[in-house]
Amino acid sequence: MNNHYSDLKNIFIDGEVFDYISLDKSTTMYNKLVNALDKPLKLILFYGKPGTGKTFLLQKIYNDQKGKKRIIFFPRPFFEEKIFLQTLYENIFEECAPEFSHYNEFLVLLEKHITSSKEAIPVLIDEAQLYPTDLIEKIRLMADSRLLKFLFTVHKTEQEDLLAKDYFQTRIWETIEIDTASKSEIKTYIEKKLLFHNHFGYLNLFKDKHYTLIAKLTNGNLRTINKLMYKLFEILEYYDEHNPSLVKTNALHVKYFEMAGISLGMLHA
């Protein structure tokens, strides 16, 4: 049976495309990235922990810029050089790519066709840490031609600091790091999600103590926040259907957040 909590949980489904929520952090990062892309830089590194909103910022920049200038966005990694070069060629020239026998042949065609361009075409590359090292090196050589400029987006994890890798550390001209969301940003994020989907009547469900707990359970990770909120409303959906007297409509008991956290392994019973 569908109820209002069903609708609420669905706005926190974390898919490839979600509603862009403007936070102070994301607005600052957006402006930094756009300004960096406007500079005559060859390679830019944008990094941060998984779930901090890097991909969604790239998608917004691409959507905002594609009507104004030539820009290319690769949201998924390439593992084969040949496929990468063919896809890049087709994005630049909007025609089927010829068969390249080797990388230098691609460079010759590139230089022949776009040397008249006054500025380099920006290429946004997400998940760059998954690219083969030799392909990253060839991308760097493409940037040396000044015909293309590349923005690498990579995950920074506790196990491995990707900035320590030689091809990122010694080649990058500018680095931009995005942090996890603060408690106030978490509050803004949830409120804007509800407002965007016309569920402003449920804003009174959340109190300061709830945001404090959400921040503690998720460490400010937007992807984890989405998971927690989805599970929270899924639990409320169940109780509203089977035992509605236990669910207050003017505030939520902390136990529901704790139940969601336990279900997702964020808390231990």
Side-chain angles (χ1 to χ4, degrees):
M1 179 179 177
N2 200 42
N3 60 34
H4 48 283
Y5 292 117
S6 304
D7 295 332
L8 289 170
K9 77 174 184 179
N10 288 333
I11 71 174
F12 289 95
I13 293 176
D14 187 25
E16 292 182 3
V17 178
F18 72 36
D19 317 311
Y20 177 76
I21 303 298
S22 178
L23 306 175
D24 290 345
K25 168 177 60 67
S26 56
T27 300
T28 300
M29 290 298 106
Y30 178 92
N31 291 330
K32 282 185 176 181
L33 291 168
V34 170
N35 289 337
L37 289 170
D38 285 339
K39 296 177 183 178
L41 305 174
K42 295 189 294 184
L43 296 172
I44 304 161
L45 179 67
F46 179 40
Y47 70 101
K49 293 181 178 179
T52 48
K54 299 184 297 299
T55 297
F56 308 120
L57 273 171
L58 290 192
Q59 186 69 61
K60 178 168 174 56
I61 289 171
Y62 173 70
N63 289 336
D64 290 350
Q65 297 288 317
K66 65 182 180 181
K68 305 173 185 177
K69 57 165 48 171
R70 298 178 73 184
I71 186 170
I72 297 167
F73 177 36
F74 291 149
R76 295 177 181 81
F78 290 86
F79 303 103
E80 296 182 27
E81 176 185 319
K82 179 179 179 181
I83 297 176
F84 175 79
L85 295 178
Q86 288 177 337
T87 307
L88 181 58
Y89 182 97
E90 290 170 358
N91 274 267
I92 294 172
F93 302 113
E94 298 181 344
E95 62 183 33
C96 291
E99 286 290 331
F100 301 114
S101 57
H102 49 73
Y103 167 75
N104 288 335
E105 185 179 341
F106 170 81
L107 274 185
V108 169
L109 283 172
L110 188 67
E111 292 172 358
K112 180 180 178 181
H113 285 82
I114 63 175
T115 49
S116 60
S117 178
K118 293 183 178 180
E119 60 180 62
I121 300 172
V123 182
L124 315 180
I125 295 182
D126 202 8
E127 303 283 3
Q129 76 278 356
L130 299 178
Y131 279 62
T133 303
D134 59 341
L135 181 51
I136 289 290
E137 181 61 20
K138 288 179 179 177
I139 291 173
R140 182 190 68 79
L141 293 173
M142 287 185 222
D144 286 342
S145 72
R146 298 283 185 176
L147 302 174
L148 301 168
K149 66 172 70 173
F150 293 89
L151 187 152
F152 292 129
T153 302
V154 300
H155 290 331
K156 182 180 180 183
T157 65
E158 295 179 1
Q159 292 78 20
E160 179 183 25
D161 188 343
L162 289 162
L163 291 177
K165 286 190 174 181
D166 179 67
Y167 55 78
F168 285 132
Q169 185 180 38
T170 62
R171 311 299 189 187
I172 299 300
W173 286 46
E174 183 165 338
T175 59
I176 299 170
E177 180 176 9
I178 186 170
D179 294 323
T180 53
S182 64
K183 174 183 169 182
S184 62
E185 288 177 322
I186 292 171
K187 183 175 185 289
T188 300
Y189 178 75
I190 292 173
E191 288 179 346
K192 285 190 173 183
K193 275 279 199 180
L194 294 173
L195 289 170
F196 184 83
H197 289 274
N198 296 317
H199 291 302
F200 48 86
Y202 295 95
L203 291 176
N204 64 342
L205 290 176
F206 299 93
K207 309 301 179 186
D208 186 70
K209 63 182 178 181
H210 298 138
Y211 294 116
T212 299
L213 182 57
I214 293 170
K216 179 180 179 181
L217 293 176
T218 66
N219 293 315
N221 185 298
L222 296 179
R223 187 173 298 141
T224 308
I225 291 168
N226 284 339
K227 291 179 181 178
L228 181 66
M229 296 301 294
Y230 183 91
K231 180 57 67 174
L232 169 70
F233 288 122
E234 188 175 57
I235 291 170
L236 291 171
E237 177 185 40
Y238 174 84
Y239 278 103
D240 191 52
E241 182 178 344
H242 295 91
N243 203 338
S245 63
L246 295 179
V247 182
K248 295 182 179 179
T249 56
N250 61 342
L252 291 178
H253 198 287
V254 170
K255 70 179 180 181
Y256 294 114
F257 291 87
E258 293 173 340
M259 290 168 66
I262 292 170
S263 177
L264 295 170
M266 300 173 186
L267 276 176
H268 298 289

